[in-house]
Amino acid sequence: MKGLTSKQAEKLLEQYGENVIESKKGNGPLKIFAGQFKDVMVMILLAATVVSVFLGEIYDAVTIILIVLLNAILGFIQEYRTEKTLEALKNMTAPTAKVLRDGKKKTIPAAELVPDDIVYLETGDRVPADCVLISVNSLFADESMLTGESEPVAKTAGSESDRDNSLNRNCIAYSGTVVTGGNGSGLVIATGKKSQMGNISSMINETESEQTPLQKRLGELGKVVALICVAVCVIVFGTGVLRGEPVFDMLMTGITIAIAAIPEGLPATVTIALALAVSRMLKQKALVNRLHSVETLGCTSVICSDKTGTITENKMTVKHIFSDMKEFDVTGNGYKISGEIRYQDTKPNPKSIPPLYELFKCAVYCSTAEITSESRLNMRNRGTVSGNGEWTVSGNPTEAALLIAAAKGGVTRHNTSDMVKVSEIPFDSATKLMSVTMQSGSGAQTEYIKGAPDILLKKCGFVMTSEGEIPLDQPLRKKLENQISSFSSRALRVLALAKRENSGGLVLLGLAAMQDPPREEAKEAIRKCANARIKTVMITGDHKETAVAVAKQAGLLKGGKAVTGAELDMMSDSELDRQLDEFTVYARVNPSHKLRLVKAYKRKGHIVTMTGDGVNDAPAVKAADVGVSMGITGTDVTKQAADVILLDDNFATLVNAVEQGRGIYANIRKFVRYLLSCNIGEVITMFLSILMGFPVVLLPTQILLVNLVTDGLPAIALGMEPCGKEAMKKAPRKPDESFFSDGLMFKIIFRGILIGLSTLACFTVLLREGYGLAAARTGALTTLIMSQLVHVFECKSETKGIFGINYFDNLKLIGAVLVSLAVLAAAVYVPVIQTVFSTVSLGKTPLLISLGFSVAVPFISGISMAFSRKRKD
């Protein structure tokens, strides 16, 4: 082989372009920051700031500006992080490549590679471009970033004329994957955007970010607030002018009252509530990248989950052993130390069963993996291993699973050190076997072999039993083949183990059947999703039979069907849409399939949460309503494209996050109801007093006190309500459901009117009873604040009154109300503070009148709701 000449390479570089990941020009930081001020609510707040400055209300203006900046900064961080996703993808490609140019082996920048270049690959190299392999020497590649499957792939040589770089081809080395063993050479067939990595980059580029359901609902809320402000301003202005008031004075009064109607604390309260939810989720091993995605999780109606490591343990586990012509069970999952060997209802001692003991010795000797533990282990004669915790594993996962099974049988390197290794033939993809030759102290040599059962079984002439070695005749061979078929039908990976003593015949020791078992907590989480009417589907690059078996064990495949990527390719979008609800398992899929499925579910009106870990998952993760990356196995590209990162790679953690999302939306509705009702109460009080020709009921400093006391701590504390038990027993909200569904707008307006009328009634009574204007204002102030502090408890539930709620499930709310009460008491009874807020001390009678008007409405409402619930029961 001479490779390309430099001149040929230059021409091809002009034709195909550089071997780099293509990326669209992103928005600069300033443009991203400026884009945060397009929201309706933000525009209203900015307009209110300008008016507040014009009216001399500098404190209000500064407060609003700080709130707007806080939200803008949070939005900027999210968008700027998204722009970095493609940069991380570029870093996944190899910086240099070893290439044959002009008949010489050279190291060149990987960007200069062109099709028809010959590249050399060695252990530890990152593959620089998609290549068809032309020579291999025990070459293995980690393709998990593209396929999601953690097992290294054994590579084989292909044909130089082969130009098909589709996924899951053993003769192709893919750009960005890592050579984990062996070496070889390949002919470059695809570079840059034509490679599989480049294809993924293009899909990420084409995926546009969408508004979350919460952002859409807050936009709707902003429009409602804008309409209220305009309506209040027009009504106050028109009423005043008709009564003969000066036009300019009424215009200023109308604007002032309209500003009072704006819940300026709402954006900050939403941000704080989401941030607190993020903090709670972090304690449950879910790290949130994008603040609003917390609530979007609560809308999820479809979860598209990866199989390996999310629903399963991602830890190969030997579950069954066939030796001595019997099937033994191996208990314990993953890398847990606890576990034992069982036969039917007994716990046999493997050392008393020669074939089983020799099989375990073969598993220990014929292995390059290592397992260690700091726990104290008790290797009992009964063949069990006791101890808590997990093994620390290094090396091939399949070999580690065999070592752990042997340890459960009481066989480890420590108690089989009477033999030393003489030679080793590594596993080869052509022979599908691995062997080691061990020598005892007497000089006798034994060859231990493990590998594919169909290959090894043909080579064996004997089988070992407790009675000795017996010829492997046709009936015995048929029985072993049936056992292999039985294991395979259960989607178990089967290995055969054998030995040869003193260059004699090959003796079969038995079969080991293993799998990556489903997590126990994932099974419970899937049941939880079913109760919450959330559809869970498994999307995997693994084989259909394996995916179906895992789905059945996890409780996923109940009436649903399994379909492969090849079968999806044969369906049009309309056909897929018609059959989409029938499918639960998608096997042998590639990145474009995953993206297509996310889009299909979204077309059907679903809110889609997509999990992933490899680069292959990044386009679908970004396209989903909520993208979820694995924290342990996830690549940087997927983590940056994701909204949420599962720090423990656990499906159950995701379901807990969905539950938190449902709770946070309920809490946002609670404090929106509270803030809007309170603001409407203030507006009604001021509006009706002007309409009826009363003196000013509340002075500007008193209105400021109301906003300080009621819009702050109680609203934030209401956003910290615990997630109710019923949260995961209801169907997900529909994407087009109004923020004010289930009569929320009526409750807000009606309760706001009652708060305003109660305040005005108290003011009128105290004024007519001769307590004076200052006392009447103080009484009205007390009524207004107390009404709102009582109403905050009503907002805990949309179906229960003050006699049906649990007051002590949120102690922070009680604390916030007590602080607010203390501030009110200080404003009314502390002389220095009285001067600031123009209040006077209230005697017993005015205080009781104020409190009476505060609790009358919720008291009557609570009794009414209690009777209503009793009638329903």
Side-chain angles (χ1 to χ4, degrees):
M1 295 188 299
K2 293 184 178 180
L4 297 173
T5 65
S6 296
K7 286 186 178 180
Q8 287 175 323
E10 283 178 20
K11 287 182 179 178
L12 289 169
L13 191 62
E14 287 179 16
Q15 181 182 345
Y16 291 100
E18 286 193 327
N19 178 34
V20 294
I21 300 296
E22 187 181 40
S23 60
K24 64 181 180 181
K25 188 177 180 181
N27 293 324
L30 285 176
K31 191 173 181 181
I32 294 172
F33 187 72
Q36 307 306 313
F37 298 94
K38 295 177 181 177
D39 182 70
V40 175
M41 195 70 187
V42 170
M43 289 180 178
I44 293 170
L45 289 174
L46 289 174
T49 304
V50 173
V51 174
S52 296
V53 171
F54 181 74
L55 296 175
E57 301 292 341
I58 303 300
Y59 174 84
D60 283 356
V62 170
T63 303
I64 296 170
I65 282 292
L66 288 174
I67 290 166
V68 169
L69 282 175
L70 173 66
N71 283 280
I73 290 167
L74 289 169
F76 168 79
I77 290 169
Q78 161 58 27
E79 285 195 37
Y80 190 70
R81 180 185 56 77
T82 301
E83 291 290 328
K84 295 296 180 184
T85 300
L86 287 171
E87 289 185 24
L89 190 59
K90 285 183 181 179
N91 294 334
M92 298 295 292
T93 54
T96 60
K98 293 184 281 288
V99 63
L100 188 64
R101 287 268 179 95
D102 300 314
K104 297 177 182 178
K105 188 175 180 180
K106 300 178 180 179
T107 299
I108 65 170
E112 295 177 10
L113 275 180
V114 294
D116 291 333
D117 257 327
I118 293 172
V119 295
Y120 297 95
L121 302 172
E122 297 173 2
T123 301
D125 286 350
R126 193 178 289 278
V127 180
D130 287 3
C131 311
V132 59
L133 294 166
I134 50 181
S135 70
V136 294
N137 179 25
S138 300
L139 183 66
F140 285 80
D142 178 2
E143 297 181 354
S144 58
M145 61 185 292
L146 290 176
T147 65
E149 300 307 312
S150 56
E151 280 281 307
V153 179
K155 290 296 179 180
T156 57
S159 167
E160 291 184 32
S161 61
D162 192 343
R163 290 295 189 267
D164 179 9
N165 70 327
S166 55
L167 282 175
N168 299 310
R169 301 197 66 211
N170 289 344
C171 63
I172 305 294
Y174 299 99
S175 175
T177 61
V178 177
V179 178
T180 58
N183 55 65
S185 61
L187 184 73
V188 175
I189 59 173
T191 60
K193 63 182 180 181
K194 297 292 185 182
S195 68
Q196 283 294 332
M197 185 78 81
N199 184 40
I200 290 169
S201 171
S202 299
M203 285 190 280
I204 293 175
N205 269 329
E206 292 164 7
T207 304
E208 297 294 334
S209 297
E210 297 178 0
Q211 279 194 321
T212 67
L214 179 61
Q215 286 171 321
K216 292 175 183 175
R217 288 181 174 90
L218 289 178
E220 174 196 347
L221 178 59
K223 291 171 185 175
V224 170
V225 169
L227 288 173
I228 291 172
C229 291
V230 171
V232 166
C233 188
V234 169
I235 293 170
V236 170
F237 174 74
T239 305
V241 170
L242 289 174
R243 291 179 66 248
E245 299 290 343
V247 174
F248 182 75
D249 288 354
M250 290 318 300
L251 179 62
M252 289 298 100
T253 303
I255 291 172
T256 303
I257 295 176
I259 290 174
I262 299 172
E264 64 269 12
L266 180 59
T269 308
V270 170
T271 301
I272 292 168
L274 291 173
L276 290 170
V278 166
S279 178
R280 288 197 298 273
M281 289 167 69
L282 184 58
K283 292 175 183 174
Q284 296 178 355
K285 304 293 184 184
L287 174 64
V288 177
N289 276 343
R290 191 180 180 195
L291 209 56
H292 280 79
S293 60
V294 175
E295 185 275 336
T296 312
L297 275 166
C299 304
T300 297
S301 55
V302 172
I303 296 177
C304 299
S305 176
D306 192 17
K307 173 182 71 70
T308 307
T310 309
I311 290 176
T312 66
E313 297 262 6
N314 195 20
K315 297 170 183 174
M316 290 302 294
T317 306
V318 175
K319 302 300 291 182
H320 307 281
I321 292 171
F322 189 80
S323 185
D324 199 22
M325 305 310 289
K326 304 184 190 76
E327 184 175 328
F328 297 87
D329 296 323
V330 185
T331 65
N333 277 344
Y335 300 157
K336 289 184 175 64
I337 289 173
S338 58
E340 59 192 12
I341 311 301
R342 298 183 67 88
Y343 176 65
Q344 296 177 349
D345 294 327
T346 64
K347 300 177 185 178
N349 180 0
K351 291 181 181 179
S352 67
I353 306 171
L356 185 58
Y357 183 59
E358 282 297 311
L359 182 145
F360 284 146
K361 284 171 65 178
C362 179
V364 171
Y365 292 141
C366 200
S367 176
T368 57
E370 294 281 347
I371 60 169
T372 55
S373 174
E374 295 178 4
S375 302
R376 277 189 162 187
L377 303 181
N378 176 22
M379 306 295 182
R380 296 177 179 169
N381 291 330
R382 295 292 297 161
T384 61
V385 180
S386 67
N388 296 319
E390 292 193 348
W391 294 101
T392 300
V393 170
S394 62
N396 184 282
T398 300
E399 292 185 343
L402 288 168
L403 289 178
I404 291 170
K408 290 172 182 176
V411 182
T412 67
R413 284 206 168 101
H414 297 291
N415 56 28
T416 54
S417 57
D418 54 325
M419 299 184 83
V420 294
K421 186 186 294 186
V422 176
S423 64
E424 175 184 319
I425 301 175
F427 181 85
D428 184 82
S429 55
T431 63
K432 296 185 178 179
L433 299 172
M434 174 190 178
S435 67
V436 294
T437 301
M438 306 296 293
Q439 183 171 297
S440 66
S442 63
Q445 291 188 349
T446 304
E447 184 183 11
Y448 288 97
I449 307 168
K450 76 169 191 289
D454 55 328
I455 303 292
L456 195 53
L457 198 58
K458 291 175 185 176
K459 295 178 179 292
C460 290
F462 301 88
V463 61
M464 189 174 187
T465 69
S466 293
E467 286 73 39
E469 297 173 6
I470 59 175
L472 189 51
D473 57 20
Q474 194 58 36
L476 279 177
R477 196 176 293 275
K478 185 65 178 174
K479 185 175 181 180
L480 286 163
E481 287 172 351
N482 290 339
Q483 186 64 47
I484 292 168
S485 297
S486 172
F487 284 146
S488 298
S489 67
R490 289 178 262 170
L492 294 164
R493 183 177 297 172
V494 187
L495 280 181
L497 298 97
K499 74 172 184 175
R500 188 199 323 265
E501 291 183 326
N502 299 319
S503 302
L506 203 57
V507 181
L508 183 72
L509 302 174
L511 307 168
M514 62 192 76
Q515 68 168 173
D516 178 12
R519 295 174 183 262
E520 288 302 319
E521 59 270 34
K523 295 179 186 178
E524 177 57 35
I526 289 167
R527 282 195 292 271
K528 203 173 183 180
C529 284
N531 291 335
R533 267 72 61 94
I534 297 171
K535 181 181 176 71
T536 306
V537 299
M538 179 196 291
I539 302 179
T540 178
D542 211 339
H543 293 280
K544 185 175 180 179
E545 295 76 16
T546 304
V548 167
V550 171
K552 284 179 179 176
Q553 292 172 25
L556 263 179
L557 207 64
K558 294 181 178 178
K561 296 179 181 177
V563 64
T564 64
E567 290 168 329
L568 287 175
D569 288 335
M570 297 171 68
M571 297 182 197
S572 66
D573 284 347
S574 58
E575 287 174 323
L576 177 59
D577 289 350
R578 279 198 305 274
Q579 299 182 59
L580 198 62
D581 293 336
E582 299 174 15
F583 300 136
T584 308
V585 174
Y586 301 91
R588 302 304 281 173
V589 296
N590 61 36
S592 62
H593 291 138
K594 294 183 179 186
L595 184 59
R596 186 185 178 199
L597 288 170
V598 168
K599 290 179 177 178
Y601 280 115
K602 290 175 81 171
R603 278 199 304 274
K604 297 271 284 185
H606 289 289
I607 298 295
V608 183
T609 292
M610 173 79 191
T611 74
D613 50 10
V615 174
N616 61 317
D617 298 319
V621 165
K622 187 180 177 187
D625 296 290
V626 182
V628 180
S629 170
M630 303 299 110
I632 300 171
T633 58
T635 60
D636 287 345
V637 179
T638 314
K639 287 175 183 176
Q640 290 191 24
D643 304 304
V644 178
I645 299 172
L646 303 182
L647 299 180
D648 58 357
D649 290 12
N650 197 330
F651 184 78
T653 302
L654 173 58
V655 176
N656 289 337
V658 169
E659 187 171 3
Q660 284 289 335
R662 289 192 172 191
I664 197 64
Y665 181 71
N667 287 350
I668 290 172
R669 274 176 63 99
K670 289 172 187 177
F671 62 66
V672 165
R673 173 188 174 188
Y674 171 67
L675 288 172
L676 288 183
S677 295
C678 294
N679 279 41
I680 288 172
E682 295 170 34
V683 169
I684 291 294
T685 300
M686 297 165 71
F687 171 61
L688 290 181
S689 66
I690 293 171
L691 192 66
M692 297 169 70
F694 287 178
V696 176
V697 177
L698 296 172
L699 298 172
T701 54
Q702 292 171 342
I703 293 174
L704 183 63
L705 177 65
V706 172
N707 290 335
L708 177 71
V709 170
T710 59
D711 283 5
L713 288 178
I716 293 170
L718 197 57
M720 300 169 73
E721 283 284 295
C723 187
K725 292 179 181 178
E726 69 283 352
M728 292 297 279
K729 294 179 181 177
K730 299 185 290 188
R733 295 186 312 282
K734 294 178 181 177
D736 57 351
E737 178 184 288
S738 168
F739 189 87
F740 300 101
S741 61
D742 298 327
L744 185 64
M745 179 56 81
F746 173 78
K747 291 174 186 174
I748 289 169
I749 294 174
F750 185 69
R751 195 66 181 85
I753 290 170
L754 292 178
I755 288 172
L757 291 176
S758 298
T759 303
L760 204 57
C762 178
F763 178 79
T764 305
V765 168
L766 291 179
L767 203 59
R768 288 184 178 175
E769 291 297 320
Y771 287 101
L773 184 58
R777 280 177 177 158
T778 305
L781 176 68
T782 303
T783 299
L784 182 60
I785 291 176
M786 287 300 298
S787 295
Q788 294 177 356
L789 294 181
V790 172
H791 183 52
V792 78
F793 290 105
E794 288 184 291
C795 292
K796 282 171 67 75
S797 172
E798 293 185 28
T799 58
K800 300 175 185 176
I802 58 172
F803 298 110
I805 58 172
N806 181 357
Y807 286 90
F808 300 102
D809 61 351
N810 184 3
L811 296 178
K812 293 181 180 67
L813 180 59
I814 293 175
V817 169
L818 290 175
V819 169
S820 299
L821 283 174
V823 172
L824 173 62
V828 174
Y829 293 105
V830 176
V832 176
I833 302 176
Q834 283 178 339
T835 307
V836 176
F837 293 107
S838 305
T839 56
V840 294
S841 298
L842 291 178
K844 184 178 179 180
T845 303
L847 182 61
L848 288 175
I849 291 171
S850 296
L851 295 177
F853 279 113
S854 301
V855 300
V857 173
F859 184 79
I860 295 167
S861 173
I863 291 174
S864 171
M865 292 182 80
F867 275 114
S868 175
R869 284 179 62 82
K870 200 168 184 180
R871 278 199 304 273
K872 284 181 182 178
D873 292 341

